[in-house]
Amino acid sequence: MKYISLPILFFVLTFQSCQQNTQVRQHAALDSVASPSIDSSSQGLAVGDKPSATNFSPSIFMIDTYRIFEGMEDPSKILDKNWFDLYEENGHYHLAPVDYKIEDGYNECAEVETKTVVSKRNSILFLNFPFLKSGEVDHLKIIQAEVWPGESVIYNFNSQKYQLKGYGDISSTQVQTNDKGREEIFHDVKNYKLTYSHNESTETNMLQVEQFNHTFIKTLFVGDIDRDGKLDFIISDPTDYEENSIRLILSSQINNNDIEKSSFQQNVQFDC
């Protein structure tokens, strides 16, 4: 009988467990493409229904690299002529039908094929909502991208006041160098909550995160995407440094003032 040493056996079992966990996380990330974080019953759908020509479920799609594990479909196949691209050009933001290409690749870490969606514009996000129209989109300059605990940011638009306010616990603080070579303050945050108030109304939750792992939220866009005269927000909200995540808050889609449940969210994992 052949024997396997305990250290080798432990390594094999650990490796298999990591692969299984990675596949589970990737399945969850891809599911969020087809089923955004929203109470689908408020959009005329029963939970679990699939969209059709008369039964439509709005969604968002991140311009990213997707790992194709065994048994998974290519997520980019959902993109068609109904999708819009929110992009920036010369300081202005526009909506237009998506214009992109797909690049095939291979992820050495996960040992799987990949599909990378490459936009031909300076895009933020792809959106699929039947009421969107092509053209320039009103926007505001982002005053402060990160809203740390104890800080608040106020935006004024169409004679209306919007406030974002951060709550939470700062466990440590470091000075880091950003992508532009500038030093900036970074906090490790736990029990975080970002709230929203409109015209000094009662604060409501935009998002809640128990703990960030070497990352934090960042405001990517503030403007009127749905053209209802009120502000919409796009926020990057990964909870881990090996994750990309985006949350869209459309003012016209807020249900019963429950912003957190009425938002649209997608994440993509790229851990090993």
Side-chain angles (χ1 to χ4, degrees):
M1 179 181 295
K2 295 183 179 180
Y3 293 89
I4 301 176
S5 67
L6 287 178
I8 294 176
L9 179 61
F10 177 77
F11 173 78
V12 171
L13 293 176
T14 301
F15 179 75
Q16 291 176 340
S17 176
C18 288
Q19 284 190 317
Q20 292 171 353
N21 289 339
T22 298
Q23 291 186 358
V24 169
R25 286 194 294 269
Q26 183 71 9
H27 272 292
L30 294 180
D31 285 345
S32 67
V33 176
S35 304
S37 174
I38 188 169
D39 180 1
S40 57
S41 60
S42 69
Q43 302 296 318
L45 289 174
V47 175
D49 281 357
K50 293 184 178 181
S52 65
T54 58
N55 193 15
F56 183 85
S57 178
S59 190
I60 64 174
F61 190 93
M62 293 174 60
I63 302 106
D64 212 313
T65 296
Y66 295 85
R67 297 181 291 189
I68 313 299
F69 288 94
E70 184 177 356
M72 288 184 178
E73 291 188 5
D74 175 3
S76 65
K77 288 183 178 180
I78 69 172
L79 297 174
D80 57 26
K81 64 180 181 179
N82 294 316
W83 286 83
F84 282 87
D85 179 7
L86 176 65
Y87 66 97
E88 183 271 337
E89 184 178 51
N90 298 323
H92 299 270
Y93 287 85
H94 306 267
L95 281 173
V98 292
D99 188 8
Y100 66 95
K101 62 180 180 179
I102 302 294
E103 293 182 351
D104 296 326
Y106 185 79
N107 185 283
E108 296 286 349
C109 177
E111 298 183 342
V112 294
E113 303 294 328
T114 62
K115 297 285 185 179
T116 299
V117 179
V118 181
S119 174
K120 297 181 181 180
R121 308 184 181 103
N122 184 23
S123 304
I124 298 178
L125 186 66
F126 290 168
L127 307 96
N128 191 347
F129 296 85
F131 48 79
L132 294 182
K133 297 180 180 180
S134 296
E136 187 168 347
V137 175
D138 289 337
H139 77 284
L140 297 180
K141 181 180 179 181
I142 295 175
I143 299 173
Q144 182 177 323
E146 295 88 358
V147 186
W148 299 105
E151 297 181 346
S152 62
V153 179
I154 294 176
Y155 292 97
N156 292 289
F157 181 72
N158 282 347
S159 301
Q160 301 175 73
K161 178 181 177 182
Y162 301 79
Q163 177 177 268
L164 306 184
K165 191 171 183 179
Y167 295 87
D169 304 317
I170 296 176
S171 56
S172 63
T173 300
Q174 305 91 33
V175 177
Q176 297 183 348
T177 302
N178 62 23
D179 295 337
K180 297 180 180 180
R182 298 177 181 175
E183 290 187 344
E184 59 184 11
I185 298 295
F186 181 84
H187 303 291
D188 289 317
V189 177
K190 297 180 180 179
N191 305 315
Y192 182 74
K193 180 172 67 175
L194 181 66
T195 66
Y196 162 100
S197 63
H198 177 216
N199 289 334
E200 300 182 351
S201 62
T202 302
E203 294 179 24
T204 57
N205 290 345
M206 292 183 80
L207 61 90
Q208 296 184 81
V209 176
E210 183 176 341
Q211 184 171 347
F212 292 97
N213 184 18
H214 301 292
T215 187
F216 193 62
I217 67 112
K218 185 175 183 179
T219 307
L220 301 179
F221 176 85
V222 178
D224 188 8
I225 299 171
D226 51 20
R227 296 184 172 90
D228 67 347
K230 298 179 181 179
L231 284 183
D232 309 310
F233 297 86
I234 298 178
I235 296 174
S236 171
D237 62 343
T239 59
D240 190 271
Y241 67 94
E242 292 181 316
E243 173 188 64
N244 291 327
S245 180
I246 281 185
R247 184 181 299 266
L248 168 69
I249 297 100
L250 283 178
S251 57
S252 63
Q253 301 302 295
I254 296 174
N255 183 29
N256 297 324
N257 208 35
D258 193 334
I259 298 174
E260 187 173 17
K261 290 184 178 180
S262 299
S263 62
F264 300 83
Q265 195 263 352
Q266 183 197 350
N267 63 76
V268 174
Q269 306 284 340
F270 53 89
D271 57 319
C272 285

